[in-house]
Amino acid sequence: MSPAESERSPVASAESERPSASPAESERPPAASAESERPPAATEPQRPPAASAEPQPPSASPAPYPAALSAPGRAATPPAPAPALPPSSVGRGGVAALSVGYQIGVAVALAVVAIGVWVHLGMVFLHVAPSNTVTKQHGTAVYDWINPEFEQNWMLFAPNPLQQNIAVQVRAEVATAEGGVRTTGWYDLSAQDGRAIDGSLLPSHTQQNELRRAWDFFVSTHDGRNRASGLRGSLSETYLRRIVVLRLEREDAAGPGGVVERVQVRARTTNVRPPKWSREQIPDDPVYRELSWWSLPAGEAEGGVR
């Protein structure tokens, strides 16, 4: 044995004497290095960049949420959304936006209007309906409600509807300021009412029905010779005479210093022409019904009729 080998022999013998590793230890993975077992260093939070000396313009679209600084090692959490408004305070308009007192007032007004509409419809129904127990007991109240503003005229729907145009005309005998007497021409009062109604959105009841009803009243209370039948005939004459005198005053028929002493009324009746497709032949000549002259009492002659 050489000296070199003799020096190595103790080491070799020591290694040979070391017990061999067990199978479990041989399969154990190698231990982690010291660097891997060292805990990770805490990351320092990023500092915002220093503000520059020059001001920066605001961005066009700002961030929806402000940037929140999170704690080291934690993710940033968005801010909690704003609480929603109660439904009762959103979208209130119209009557709901009024106070309780005004809402009660509106409800009462609507109730009154609804009751009035139903009462009117009921009165109209009772007026046009056949005679029944209600109309026998309350016929006067129904008649007063309907007439004269809501009068129902069924001639348009009758089997033989009205096919004539009736125009009421009047002329006057005037005592002039010089002491003479003159007779005016015929004033077509029905044509005046027609011109006043034509094109009017809300024509008055007087313009539509006063003169027409007065003439119908006269005809229904007089015979073919214009003789009155009973007290209603005299009343119809007075009613018609006062209407025509008022119309003559509006037209200033007497003139300066003149006085209307007598009036004469007539009706001009013309037939309505049939349609072009009809073969019906009717006369086109007007028919006149002239009444006698009526002398005016002193109060009416001096313009006392109002």
Side-chain angles (χ1 to χ4, degrees):
M1 179 183 310
S2 63
E5 293 178 354
S6 61
E7 290 177 2
R8 295 176 182 175
S9 59
V11 178
S13 60
E15 292 178 358
S16 60
E17 292 178 358
R18 182 181 298 174
S20 60
S22 62
E25 293 180 355
S26 61
E27 296 177 357
R28 183 178 301 171
S33 62
E35 295 180 356
S36 62
E37 293 180 356
R38 183 181 301 173
T43 59
E44 295 182 0
Q46 298 180 358
R47 297 180 180 179
S52 60
E54 298 179 357
Q56 299 293 333
S59 59
S61 56
Y65 301 103
L69 297 178
S70 59
R74 294 183 181 180
T77 57
L85 296 176
S88 60
S89 61
V90 179
R92 297 184 62 182
V95 180
L98 301 176
S99 61
V100 178
Y102 284 103
Q103 291 181 4
I104 295 175
V106 171
V108 172
L110 293 176
V112 171
V113 172
I115 293 173
V117 170
W118 281 108
V119 169
H120 176 69
L121 293 177
M123 289 294 188
V124 173
F125 173 77
L126 293 175
H127 179 70
V128 300
S131 179
N132 52 68
T133 304
V134 179
T135 55
K136 290 179 180 179
Q137 295 181 356
H138 307 284
T140 303
V142 174
Y143 180 85
D144 294 340
W145 181 277
I146 296 298
N147 292 287
E149 296 294 338
F150 308 108
E151 178 189 7
Q152 303 294 314
N153 189 344
W154 296 105
M155 287 186 178
L156 179 63
F157 305 100
N160 186 20
L162 189 63
Q163 298 179 356
Q164 294 177 333
N165 291 324
I166 301 175
V168 179
Q169 302 173 349
V170 63
R171 65 178 177 176
E173 190 175 90
V174 180
T176 63
E178 293 79 10
V181 177
R182 65 179 178 89
T183 303
T184 65
W186 290 100
Y187 291 87
D188 195 338
L189 305 183
S190 297
Q192 294 176 2
D193 290 346
R195 287 191 297 267
I197 295 172
D198 189 17
S200 177
L201 296 178
L202 298 173
S204 68
H205 178 72
T206 302
Q207 294 171 341
Q208 296 180 81
N209 298 319
E210 182 184 53
L211 184 62
R212 178 182 62 85
R213 291 296 304 274
W215 179 254
D216 292 343
F217 185 26
F218 178 87
V219 172
S220 63
T221 56
H222 287 73
D223 59 13
R225 297 182 179 181
N226 299 328
R227 293 178 299 186
S229 55
L231 295 177
R232 289 177 59 85
S234 301
L235 178 62
S236 66
E237 291 180 5
T238 303
Y239 181 53
L240 181 60
R241 186 184 71 244
R242 291 186 175 182
I243 290 176
V244 297
V245 169
L246 286 174
R247 300 292 184 90
L248 290 173
E249 289 182 1
R250 295 177 189 174
E251 297 295 328
D252 194 17
V259 177
V260 177
E261 292 183 345
R262 297 196 306 170
V263 294
Q264 185 181 23
V265 179
R266 74 176 183 181
R268 181 179 184 270
T269 304
T270 55
N271 294 318
V272 178
R273 299 184 63 180
K276 296 180 180 180
W277 49 264
S278 176
R279 297 181 179 180
E280 184 181 2
Q281 300 293 330
I282 59 174
D284 296 335
D285 298 333
V287 177
Y288 293 92
R289 180 176 179 177
E290 291 188 2
L291 309 183
S292 59
W293 285 90
W294 289 335
S295 298
L296 304 184
E300 294 183 13
E302 296 175 357
V305 180
R306 294 291 182 269

